[in-house]
Amino acid sequence: MSDATDPWLIVGLGNPGPDYAANRHNVGFMVADLLAARIGGKFKRAQKAQAQVVEGRIGPPGPASRRVILVKPMSYMNLSGGPVTALRDFYKVPTDHVVAVHDELDVDYGSLRLKLGGGDNGHNGLKSMTKAMGPDYHRVRFGIGRPPGRMQVADFVLKDFSSTERKELEFLVDRSADAVECLLAEGLERAQSAYNS
């Protein structure tokens, strides 16, 4: 069982490289980048895994402060489980202290949902993580909605946010980072009641 002194592994899911940077599928990277900026850290290549990491603390100074390792897997989305599990083991992080921040098709754009455990809902990053370490990790699900018309899901998630969506994107990424901080500081139920929409 985990306790308050255990570190947290916050995993922003996405695909590496500039071609993918603004895609819907990369919103996890966007949230991880903002959290890194908030703690004054810069991502560096991990020694132990195909990933970039930042170590630091989230929360007010004192006992409420949480040690965190922010992670952006550099393995492509469908292989995220390998680097995440390697880092979980290296930093000795309990699985229930792993948080995946990811795009979610079945949640409307602009909405957030936090949960612990569950299925992968066809999300290749979650599928890979669950296969590597089981389903008992937290998820911060950033709603992107369903593709319009007959557009294929794969095409939709690998497209950039629309100009209309981009008007709100910075605010929504900021809110998602707040939700991660609330989850660490106050627990899942409090974060759900504050941020689930």
Side-chain angles (χ1 to χ4, degrees):
M1 232 0 236
S2 55
D3 68 40
T5 60
D6 286 320
W8 287 80
L9 200 67
I10 313 297
V11 182
L13 289 175
N15 286 306
D19 292 350
Y20 298 102
N23 288 179
R24 291 182 177 94
H25 224 17
N26 269 44
V27 76
F29 275 17
M30 297 173 197
V31 175
D33 285 337
L34 178 57
L35 286 166
R38 286 183 180 185
I39 64 173
K42 284 208 182 324
F43 277 98
K44 297 197 252 323
R45 204 159 63 79
Q47 298 297 310
K48 302 291 175 188
Q50 192 179 355
Q52 291 185 349
V53 296
V54 175
E55 293 182 60
R57 298 193 84 83
I58 282 179
S65 169
R66 301 284 181 257
R67 182 173 166 233
V68 295
I69 302 98
L70 302 172
V71 180
K72 296 196 296 187
M74 292 286 123
S75 56
Y76 288 102
M77 184 69 87
N78 60 343
L79 299 171
S80 302
V84 173
T85 305
L87 290 167
R88 179 200 64 172
D89 294 348
F90 176 70
Y91 288 104
K92 298 181 173 54
V93 177
T95 302
D96 68 352
H97 273 214
V98 176
V99 181
V101 184
H102 63 92
D103 57 305
E104 177 60 63
L105 288 159
D106 285 339
V107 175
D108 292 338
Y109 182 72
S111 292
L112 269 185
R113 297 268 165 54
L114 286 80
K115 69 175 190 169
L116 173 63
D120 56 56
N121 213 12
H123 192 289
N124 288 331
L126 297 181
K127 201 175 286 183
S128 178
M129 283 180 61
T130 297
K131 187 175 176 196
M133 63 184 184
D136 299 326
Y137 54 92
H138 287 87
R139 298 100 193 276
V140 174
R141 304 156 73 206
F142 184 109
I144 60 169
R146 284 257 154 210
R150 296 177 173 211
M151 186 189 286
Q152 295 294 311
V153 164
D155 295 333
F156 179 68
V157 299
L158 294 175
K159 278 204 169 16
D160 290 359
F161 286 98
S162 70
S163 56
T164 309
E165 289 169 335
R166 279 199 298 273
K167 291 189 177 104
E168 282 186 282
L169 184 59
E170 192 176 333
F171 165 75
L172 297 171
V173 167
D174 196 62
R175 191 165 180 273
S176 302
D178 290 347
V180 171
E181 292 184 351
C182 181
L183 169 65
L184 270 55
E186 301 184 50
L188 179 61
E189 279 183 35
R190 178 77 189 86
Q192 285 173 325
S193 66
Y195 292 96
N196 276 14
S197 51

